[in-house]
């Protein structure tokens, strides 16, 4: 008997909106503040070698596999895992939990970007330390949960499509405008020198290779079943490998453009290139303060971060909503409300860890702790479970049925997804666990 919910699965209304939604999932905080810094600190242009290899050899093949699995059965993630046997559904739920935990703190950071967008609109300069010694981060987190939940509760066509069709072109527009301005700044050349000058000695460090793989998967939102979920809404005539290339190219482009803009600014104003939250919420606001029309740039930059974060959080939420709807028969509205409540419960400790409450666990802020554990190790584990289940446990030739490529390319895709990806992921998961 078919489960309830399966037959009414929604469809993307065009090929373009699917690509926009997948780009929306991929382009996020990871591209804008993480990628440039990781590159700058790990050998500049030389880092791009392991990164491209990870993207081309591992992330793109897995992305193609995920979309193929999604369209093949048109099921949510949990039901797709169930195809390997009922008891494998629990593995699907485990991945849902990993994504939900990542989402819980991603929404906290999205709240910060919202706050800073409003601060810049109002023209007030608020330092990160004074912002995080109030309860505003908690309020902004709750707004982020509400916004994400509301959009997802409206459904694939009315909610997700409409949001990504506005937000993604808007985000790229801001990014291109920022870059056009930044290439003329005096800090452009020293910035690019820091960002891209290759230091090939890093290629012998295994840690750089595993970090590059982790960054590639996180940035492309691959390995967590998000593309299985989005793939289930795909039309049959859509070319999967071609879409994978467009999504990947856009994600790389966004990351490179962000790097160009950020380092030109940092070096023009003689600031220290810093990492993560400090870069976005302390260093760059200082640059905006110093530059002409800084307020406009500041609003634009935080609006960019916010829209990138929102379209990523939507994808993480949709995957969970689809699983709950498909497996319990609950309506989309109920599933969304349930998840919003759950997210408030899961994310509040992270929100409070960067607030006046300064909530810590064994001395670390909860948000950092979650990022270092679930956000870092959970991802390769989830990707490993996806690859093994759909390439080893289920024998159907899903790839050949869904992916129309020449026999040679198909063979390469089969080898990569069956042997190379699991082996690489096993290796980096083991290395990461040993480093803990
Ligand atoms: N890819 C997103 C980013 O770069 C983050 C993300 C991770 C989105 C996992 C969905 C799933 O920020």
């Amino acid at each position: 008997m078919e489960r309830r919910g399966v037959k009414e699965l929604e469809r993307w209304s065009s090929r373009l909106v699917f690509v926009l939604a997948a780009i929306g999932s991929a382009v996020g905080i990871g591209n804008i503040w993480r990628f440039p810094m990781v590159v700058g600190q790990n050998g500049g242009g030389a880092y791009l070698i392991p990164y491209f290899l990870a993207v081309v050899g591992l992330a793109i093949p897995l992305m193609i596999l995920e979309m193929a699995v999604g369209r093949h059965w048109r099921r949510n993630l949990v039901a797709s895992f169930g195809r390997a046997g009922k008891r494998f559904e629990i593995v699907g739920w485990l991945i849902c939990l990993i994504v939900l935990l990542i989402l819980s703190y991603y929404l906290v950071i999205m709240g910060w970007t919202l706050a800073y967008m409003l601060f810049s609109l109002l023209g007030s300069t608020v330092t990160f330390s004074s912002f995080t010694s109030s309860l505003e981060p908690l309020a902004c987190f709750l707004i982020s949960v509400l916004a994400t939940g509301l959009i997802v509760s409206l459904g694939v066509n009315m909610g997700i499509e409409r949001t990504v069709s506005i937000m993604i072109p808007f985000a790229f527009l801001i990014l291109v405008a920022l870059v056009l301005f930044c290439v003329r700044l005096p800090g452009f050349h020293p910035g690019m020198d820091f960002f891209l000058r290759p230091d090939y000695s890093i290629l012998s460090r295994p840690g750089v290779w595993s970090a590059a793989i982790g960054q590639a998967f996180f940035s492309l939102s691959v390995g967590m079943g998000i593309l299985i979920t989005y793939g289930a809404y795909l039309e049959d005539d859509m070319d999967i490998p071609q879409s994978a290339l467009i999504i990947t190219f856009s994600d790389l482009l966004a990351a490179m453009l962000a790097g160009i803009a950020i380092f030109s600014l940092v070096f023009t104003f003689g600031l220290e290139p810093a990492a993560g939250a400090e870069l976005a919420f302390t260093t760059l606001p200082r640059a905006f303060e110093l530059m002409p029309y800084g307020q406009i740039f500041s609003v634009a930059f935080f609006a960019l971060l916010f829209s990138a974060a929102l379209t990523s959080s939507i994808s993480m939420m949709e995957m969970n909503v689809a699983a709950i709807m498909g497996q319990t028969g609950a309506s989309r509205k109920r599933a969304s409300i349930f998840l919003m409540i759950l997210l408030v419960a899961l994310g509040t400790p992270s929100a409070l860890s960067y607030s006046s409450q300064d909530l810590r666990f064994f001395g670390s802020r909860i948000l950092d702790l979650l990022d270092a554990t679930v956000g870092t190790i959970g991802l390769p584990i989830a990707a490993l479970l996806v690859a093994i289940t759909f390439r080893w446990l289920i024998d159907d030739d899903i790839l050949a049925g869904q992916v129309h490529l020449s026999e040679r390319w198909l063979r390469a895709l089969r080898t990569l997804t069956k042997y190379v990806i699991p082996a690489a992921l096993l290796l980096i998961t083991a290395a990461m666990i040993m480093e803990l």
Side-chain angles (χ1 to χ4, degrees), residues 22-32 34 99 102-103 106 215-222 224 226 251 308-309 311-313 315-316 319 379:
I23 294 175
S25 175
V27 174
I29 300 172
N31 299 61
I32 298 166
R34 194 152 186 275
V99 171
I102 296 180
L103 179 58
Y106 203 85
Q215 172 70 16
F217 278 59
F218 184 86
S219 182
L220 287 165
S221 309
V222 157
M224 285 157 289
I226 286 177
D251 188 68
T311 53
S312 294
S313 67
S315 70
M316 294 190 241
M319 176 193 138
L379 185 50

Side-chain angles (χ1 to χ4, degrees), residues 310-324:
L310 179 64
T311 53
S312 294
S313 67
I314 287 175
S315 70
M316 294 190 241
M317 178 106 171
E318 171 64 18
M319 176 193 138
N320 278 280
V321 165
I324 292 177

Side-chain angles (χ1 to χ4, degrees), residues 137-194:
L138 181 64
C140 295
F141 159 68
L142 296 175
I143 298 174
S144 302
V145 174
L146 208 66
T148 307
L150 203 70
I151 293 169
V152 172
S153 74
L154 290 175
V156 174
N157 303 121
M158 300 298 280
I160 303 179
E161 285 186 3
R162 279 214 231 159
T163 310
V164 298
S165 312
I166 301 168
M167 295 270 189
I168 296 302
F170 170 72
F172 273 88
L173 209 71
I174 296 181
L175 209 46
V176 169
L178 269 175
V179 168
L180 286 179
F181 173 79
C182 288
V183 292
R184 272 176 267 163
L185 291 175
F188 172 68
H189 288 287
M192 290 312 95
D193 200 45
F194 174 81

